[in-house]
Amino acid sequence: MPHTTVLEPLKADQWFVDNPDVREFVAIAKEIISSTEHNRTETLNILEPHFAALLKKENWLPKPFTQPNPDSGLGQGIGQWLLYRSQERVLTIFSLVIPPDAITPVHDHLSWGLVGLYQGKQEETVYCRVDNGELEGRAQLETVGTYQVKTGDIYHLLPPDNDIHSVKAITLFAPSISIHVMGNDTGSIWRHHYHPEQKSVQSFRSRYSNVLMKQERENHAKFH
Ligand SMILES: [Fe+2]
């Protein structure tokens, strides 16, 4: 069971949503995260108001990036749409669209991140791992807390703290949509799907709803 991922750099930055608002935010984010003056906690605090400003803007997120995806890598129709990915895969932005009442698996991210609610309401349950990870396939989690997140709210991911959670949409009719600003290529790497009640863990790759993985691209080229 693979637990780490080495991904090759891309040929160039990839813009799946390309407009002045996203370009401006990416330029600021790149400058902030490349600064060596601050530790990661400070970096996220400095980045947060710029992210909040982007979330408040209107008409920057095209409709296809606000839709559920029946063929989801996260299950339950959850859409994970890649908006932007840097060449070195050290900055990605994606939307996570959770249909009403759907819930993500309990998962980790293995990277710093900022998550902001663009639409709707969510209930986030945060866990911490309390075993030493020595037993393959086994993991013991404890619940840290359950939090309500509403439109405009932003929370921080900063492993090892706050990195394991599940997220449930608690809107009745429209999906909840969160925007993730991450320091890795979250959808492409192998990370962990936990089953707290069974005390087990498995590797998984969530993928992005709008991007084929390298192997899928090669298969596609072979058969078409
Ligand atoms: Fe998450």
Side-chain angles (χ1 to χ4, degrees):
M1 185 163 69
H3 280 288
T4 54
T5 317
V6 179
L7 296 170
E8 289 168 22
L10 302 162
K11 291 196 177 80
D13 284 11
Q14 294 180 319
W15 301 85
F16 298 88
V17 173
D18 193 354
N19 59 46
D21 293 328
V22 176
R23 287 256 173 194
E24 183 187 354
F25 175 72
V26 166
I28 292 168
K30 277 187 166 182
E31 197 177 318
I32 291 172
I33 65 177
S34 64
S35 164
T36 53
E37 278 174 44
H38 310 285
N39 65 35
R40 197 49 84 194
T41 303
E42 291 165 344
T43 301
L44 295 189
N45 288 337
I46 295 166
L47 185 55
E48 180 175 336
H50 300 282
F51 183 37
L54 176 68
L55 281 177
K56 277 200 195 101
K57 289 183 180 174
E58 289 176 2
N59 302 322
W60 64 271
L61 186 63
K63 203 160 180 205
F65 296 81
T66 66
Q67 304 299 310
N69 174 23
D71 189 25
S72 168
L74 284 160
Q76 299 197 25
I78 296 169
Q80 185 174 0
W81 304 98
L82 186 60
L83 278 59
Y84 166 81
R85 176 160 65 175
S86 71
Q87 183 178 7
E88 298 298 327
R89 303 176 191 253
V90 293
L91 178 64
T92 60
I93 305 174
F94 60 85
S95 61
L96 192 77
V97 182
I98 308 180
D101 224 24
I103 185 167
T104 67
V106 179
H107 61 273
D108 58 15
H109 313 80
L110 308 179
S111 163
W112 63 263
L114 289 178
V115 183
L117 251 284
Y118 177 83
Q119 173 184 296
K121 269 195 215 158
Q122 295 180 349
E123 186 178 87
E124 184 204 15
T125 302
V126 179
Y127 299 85
C128 66
R129 188 167 179 168
V130 293
D131 67 317
N132 58 17
E134 277 179 0
L135 282 177
E136 177 78 14
R138 308 297 294 166
Q140 198 169 346
L141 302 186
E142 278 180 4
T143 307
V144 174
T146 299
Y147 310 98
Q148 305 260 320
V149 190
K150 61 182 189 314
T151 305
D153 287 350
I154 292 173
Y155 59 86
H156 296 196
L157 303 170
L158 195 60
D161 297 330
N162 299 339
D163 193 40
I164 303 174
H165 70 176
S166 64
V167 182
K168 182 180 180 185
I170 51 174
T171 29
L172 285 180
F173 302 109
S176 84
I177 304 171
S178 55
I179 306 297
H180 290 59
V181 179
M182 302 297 301
N184 66 358
D185 191 351
T186 316
S188 303
I189 60 161
W190 286 97
R191 50 197 174 115
H192 302 101
H193 173 180
Y194 296 90
H195 304 273
E197 280 166 23
Q198 288 93 342
K199 299 187 170 58
S200 66
V201 58
Q202 64 196 93
S203 291
F204 90 114
R205 273 200 289 197
S206 58
R207 307 185 296 128
Y208 300 105
S209 302
N210 54 333
V211 182
L212 291 178
M213 301 289 294
K214 189 169 177 239
Q215 189 62 46
E216 293 168 329
R217 279 201 307 277
E218 285 167 5
N219 290 344
H220 188 81
K222 216 184 285 173
F223 295 114
H224 292 83

